Amino acid sequence: GAGVSQSPSNKVTEKGKDVELRCDPISGHTALYWYRQSLGQGLEFLIYFQGNSAPDKSGLPSDRFSAERTGGSVSTLTIQRTQQEDSAVYLCASTTGTSSLAGNEQFFGPGTRLTVL
Amino acid sequence: SQKIEQNSEALNIQEGKTATLTCNYTNYSPAYLQWYRQDPGRGPVFLLLIRENEKEKRKERLKVTFDTTLKQSLFHITASQPADSATYLCAYISGGYNKLIFGAGTRLAVHP
């Protein structure tokens, strides 16, 4: 079946513009995560969605960042008034279970490479 | 704060040798660790999970160990091949759900 897809694959924008990044998780996966990966760095957790529960936004770096997940499926990460330090690869992942005891693997999309000029 | 560290320097080895990558964690006692492979321009791909009560886990040419006393996990690739060249990330779960804390990854280069 189809994996996690993200669009666009690349986005170049000017400082101060808003951008929207899209993630289509694997069908049936109830949990969805957004991560950010800067050059040469590990993945930084941004936000987590699980079903109809309130999302965990603890990783969002500033109030310019927001995300929503409509209908428990597609998610959009929005960055307002982009800054050069926002340049990174934004990765989306989905998984089936909710229990940390299961240690369910996360399935990642290919990422969106954002460049802010 | 919780930290997970991997060797930042690239590991260069000869084809056929065993590659060993290290993952150390502090200020936390994870119930298990996950290892992922990441190729340039792609998202990470899950490889192995090892639980705290497991000393060792194997999958084909891959082997992972988990030493809760040393707070360390080792990732081995035996009979390495150039196709194994990639960045390898370790991660553990933080919190009551599957929020992963990742290391920065170690880049492995296997030379023919």
Side-chain angles (χ1 to χ4, degrees), chain B residues 85-104:
Chain B
S85 298
T87 295
Y88 292 86
L89 305 163
C90 66
Y92 64 73
I93 297 293
S94 177
Y97 48 86
N98 290 325
K99 168 182 165 182
L100 287 173
I101 305 296
F102 280 89

Side-chain angles (χ1 to χ4, degrees), chain B residues 34-72:
Chain B
Q34 298 184 3
W35 282 88
Y36 288 77
R37 168 181 173 146
Q38 187 174 24
D39 291 282
R42 296 179 176 270
V45 175
F46 174 82
L47 295 175
L48 280 170
L49 175 150
I50 185 166
R51 293 181 169 81
E52 61 179 342
N53 60 352
E54 297 174 320
K55 297 295 184 187
E56 181 180 296
K57 198 78 166 284
R58 291 176 184 264
K59 179 182 177 182
E60 298 174 351
R61 294 183 296 110
L62 308 181
K63 184 178 83 172
V64 173
T65 62
F66 193 178
D67 189 324
T68 55
T69 300
L70 293 178
K71 293 186 180 293
Q72 181 180 83

Side-chain angles (χ1 to χ4, degrees), chain A residues 33 35 37 40-43 45 48 56 58 91 95 97-106 108-110, chain B residues 31-32 34 36 38 41-46 49 51 89 93 95-105:
Chain A
Y33 307 79
Y35 295 89
Q37 187 173 33
Q41 302 295 313
L43 279 71
F45 167 81
Y48 159 76
D56 177 351
S58 62
L91 290 156
T95 189
T98 60
S99 170
S100 64
L101 295 178
N104 295 324
E105 65 177 282
Q106 295 191 6
F108 283 83
Chain B
Y32 47 77
Q34 298 184 3
Y36 288 77
Q38 187 174 24
R42 296 179 176 270
V45 175
F46 174 82
L49 175 150
R51 293 181 169 81
L89 305 163
I93 297 293
Y97 48 86
N98 290 325
K99 168 182 165 182
L100 287 173
I101 305 296
F102 280 89

